[in-house]
Amino acid sequence: AQRVTQPEKLLSVFKGAPVELKCNYSYSGSPELFWYVQYSRQRLQLLLRHISRESIKGFTADLNKGETSFHLKKPFAQEEDSAMYYCALRDSGAGSYQLTFGKGTKLSVIP
Amino acid sequence: DARVTQTPRHKVTEMGQEVTMRCQPILGHNTVFWYRQTMMQGLELLAYFRNRAPLDDSGMPKDRFSAEMPDATLATLKIQPSEPRDSAVYFCASGFQGRNTEAFFGQGTRLTVV
């Protein structure tokens, strides 16, 4: 069974400090990993996915298959980054499109 | 700008009443998900449809919850009878399996059962 673990429920950092939101997964197949973000009382929206290898809003995430991790990083946090962040996994093989989410980490950036 | 639309946005109901939540997926998407969001559990998958057929509803309490797609433009999630522990935000998401696209989420229905 696939599982996504986000060990931190809440992460508080000062503005300008580096941010790392942790995500570990367990899955025996070939996973696709995503980060979704939910700003206050808004819908979830895709932040980035590992296959794109891009930086969105200054955030990056590298899939580490050896450590089964997909941590989200940003070198300098901004107040507008305060939100809920969800790591998600999808089986990239045929037959499934189901997204499994972690429980989320609430990021609070202190001015 | 195509979006997933959910109604109602907010619902307050008394324990024991029936609740129906509706979702209009993005036109052309063939996959629909229902998720429940709570502080304690985060996002839990309740049900998952492809081409209107239920593929996985193992996350849904069968005795009181039911999910259907009467047509390609409407997905419903019903709770009967509702209980206070059902209070949560219910999200619908749609996507297209086969095109490696993301899942797009609606704004959610905030349900409060008193």
Side-chain angles (χ1 to χ4, degrees):
Chain A
Q2 52 201 48
R3 188 169 67 245
V4 178
T5 303
Q6 294 179 249
E8 302 139 331
K9 272 197 160 182
L10 174 65
L11 183 64
S12 296
V13 301
F14 286 102
K15 177 181 172 182
V19 174
E20 183 178 49
L21 299 168
K22 291 185 169 53
C23 173
N24 290 90
Y25 67 91
S26 62
Y27 186 63
S28 57
S30 180
E32 283 185 78
L33 275 298
F34 304 82
W35 278 99
Y36 278 80
V37 61
Q38 185 183 26
Y39 300 103
S40 180
R41 294 190 177 259
Q42 293 187 24
R43 69 184 74 208
L44 273 85
Q45 53 188 289
L46 180 68
L47 182 61
L48 51 80
R49 65 178 78 187
H50 89 269
I51 60 173
S52 300
R53 297 180 177 270
E54 55 191 347
S55 174
I56 304 292
K57 299 184 179 182
F59 285 97
T60 58
D62 291 317
L63 178 62
N64 186 322
K65 291 187 177 181
E67 296 181 359
T68 59
S69 68
F70 189 57
H71 303 326
L72 183 68
K73 299 177 184 179
K74 184 169 182 176
F76 308 104
Q78 298 173 326
E79 289 179 65
E80 54 264 34
D81 297 329
S82 296
M84 279 293 292
Y85 291 81
Y86 290 94
C87 183
L89 177 154
R90 184 170 76 195
D91 177 9
S92 64
S96 176
Y97 189 66
Q98 181 176 320
L99 273 174
T100 299
F101 285 87
K103 291 191 178 183
T105 298
K106 183 174 182 178
L107 175 64
S108 177
V109 180
I110 305 164
Chain B
D1 184 23
R3 291 195 169 192
V4 175
T5 304
Q6 288 186 248
T7 55
R9 292 288 310 279
H10 303 273
K11 176 73 176 177
V12 180
T13 191
E14 290 185 345
M15 182 173 64
Q17 296 297 306
E18 178 178 300
V19 175
T20 299
M21 291 169 272
R22 293 178 174 80
C23 168
Q24 181 177 350
I26 292 173
L27 188 65
H29 282 182
N30 65 355
T31 309
V32 173
F33 304 89
W34 282 105
Y35 286 91
R36 176 170 60 187
Q37 183 186 42
T38 61
M39 288 290 291
M40 293 300 296
Q41 299 299 327
L43 278 164
E44 302 172 277
L45 179 67
L46 297 176
Y48 161 35
F49 291 79
R50 189 196 308 160
N51 297 323
R52 296 174 55 202
L55 287 192
D56 185 354
D57 60 2
S58 58
M60 202 164 63
K62 300 293 190 304
D63 56 337
R64 298 184 300 108
F65 284 61
S66 61
E68 296 179 344
M69 281 200 74
D71 62 60
T73 64
L74 176 65
T76 62
L77 180 66
K78 288 186 181 178
I79 309 175
Q80 168 62 21
S82 58
E83 297 180 2
R85 60 181 166 148
D86 300 329
S87 298
V89 181
Y90 291 82
F91 284 101
C92 174
S94 73
F96 193 97
Q97 181 173 357
R99 280 190 204 155
N100 195 28
T101 60
E102 66 188 89
F104 292 83
F105 280 77
Q107 288 191 288
T109 295
R110 183 175 293 274
L111 174 66
T112 303
V113 183
V114 297

